[in-house]
Amino acid sequence: MTATKHHVTIKGVKDGLVFVLDDTCRLTDLLEELQHKLEKTHHKILSGPLIRVYVKLGKRVINEAEQEQIRELIGQHGNLIIQSFETSASPALPPEILPSGIKVITGIVRSGQTVTHEGNVMLLGDVNPGGSILSTGDIFVMGSLRGMAHAGTQGDEKAIIAASYMRPTQLRIAGIFSRPPDEWGIDEALMEFAYIQNARMEIDKIYHIQRIRPDLGKG
C-alpha cells in the first residue's frame, strides 16, 4: 500500500474486534485497504475461534449495497461475525414519511430527563440511555434512540416510533411494550421504525413505513 494514512484501524476489545473505518476517504479506497489488511497484514490474528466484529463508520452513512460489500469482505473469514454497523451521523428521515403538523424540537435528552409532547414530534438529536421521550402521537428521532420512547401515550395503537439509529432501552406504543432489542432479529439498527400489528410490536426498515401508515406524507 502506498497510502500514508490508514483508512482502516482494527482494535481488540473485551468481546471481539472493532473495525474503525475512516469517514473522509472514498469508499473504494476504504474497501481496498480493508481487503489488504484482512488478506495480508492481519490474516494471522484473524483466524481461529469465532470473533465478534463491530464496524464503526464515523460520520459516514452507507446504503445497504455498500454495507453488503463490507459484509462480504469481512465474511470471507469464516471466524469473523459482524455484530453491528455504527455511525455517529444522523441520517435524515425521508421527508415523504413525515406527517403534517409535526412539532420539531432540538437537543439531547440526557439520562434522567423526560420530554413529553401532545401530537406528533420530531427530535433533532439523541435520546441517551436513561432519557425518555413521550408523545400522544408519532415519534421521530433524527439521531440515536438509546433511551425510552413511548408513542401514543393516550392509547393510540396506530402511532409509530422511528429513529435514524434504533437501540432503545425500551419502546412502548399505547399500552404495548417491545421485546428487548437483542430479540429483534436484526443485525444493525439504522433507519428503523416500530409499529403495532396484531397486538404485538414489530420493527421494520423505514422504507416500509407507508405499508403500515399510508396516511404519512399526505398533506
Side-chain angles (χ1 to χ4, degrees):
M1 300 288 291
T2 57
T4 58
K5 180 180 179 180
H6 292 290
H7 301 312
V8 178
T9 303
I10 300 175
K11 301 178 179 180
V13 294
K14 183 178 180 181
D15 56 347
L17 293 172
V18 173
F19 282 47
V20 181
L21 308 185
D22 180 21
D23 57 9
T24 62
C25 67
R26 295 184 306 172
L27 184 64
T28 52
D29 295 335
L30 184 68
L31 295 175
E32 180 183 347
E33 183 172 327
L34 178 60
Q35 182 174 10
H36 176 81
K37 287 194 171 181
L38 289 172
E39 294 180 353
K40 304 294 183 181
T41 61
H42 288 66
H43 68 283
K44 290 184 179 179
I45 66 170
L46 303 181
S47 61
L50 292 179
I51 302 175
R52 295 180 178 181
V53 173
Y54 304 87
V55 180
K56 293 187 178 295
L57 301 165
K59 294 184 178 180
R60 186 190 299 270
V61 176
I62 59 176
N63 58 35
E64 291 195 8
E66 294 166 339
Q67 187 180 120
E68 187 59 30
Q69 286 182 283
I70 297 174
R71 283 189 181 280
E72 287 183 2
L73 280 177
I74 296 178
Q76 291 176 358
H77 300 262
N79 65 312
L80 300 182
I81 309 297
I82 294 181
Q83 294 295 300
S84 66
F85 288 87
E86 298 181 19
T87 177
S88 59
S90 297
L93 295 168
E96 63 270 17
I97 74 168
L98 300 177
S100 59
I102 191 169
K103 173 69 174 180
V104 178
I105 58 178
T106 61
I108 297 175
V109 182
R110 305 184 188 279
S111 179
Q113 293 181 324
T114 298
V115 172
T116 60
H117 181 71
E118 291 190 8
N120 304 315
V121 62
M122 173 186 287
L123 172 67
L124 304 181
D126 300 332
V127 181
N128 288 346
S132 302
I133 182 168
L134 292 73
S135 175
T136 60
D138 303 325
I139 295 175
F140 299 88
V141 178
M142 293 182 67
S144 297
L145 174 51
R146 299 177 184 269
M148 192 278 280
H150 184 183
T153 55
Q154 294 182 359
D156 183 5
E157 293 190 358
K158 292 183 179 180
I160 61 170
I161 301 170
S164 299
Y165 183 78
M166 179 85 84
R167 266 295 178 264
T169 52
Q170 184 185 94
L171 293 180
R172 183 176 177 181
I173 297 177
I176 298 176
F177 294 83
S178 71
R179 295 164 293 160
D182 58 3
E183 296 180 10
W184 291 353
I186 58 176
D187 294 326
E188 45 83 23
L190 293 176
M191 306 299 284
E192 307 282 344
F193 80 105
Y195 62 98
I196 299 300
Q197 187 173 63
N198 299 323
R200 174 189 174 100
M201 191 177 300
E202 303 288 349
I203 308 295
D204 203 349
K205 284 293 184 184
I206 202 76
Y207 49 76
H208 291 151
I209 202 168
Q210 286 187 308
R211 297 180 185 177
I212 307 302
R213 288 282 303 278
D215 60 298
L216 291 177
K218 295 181 180 180

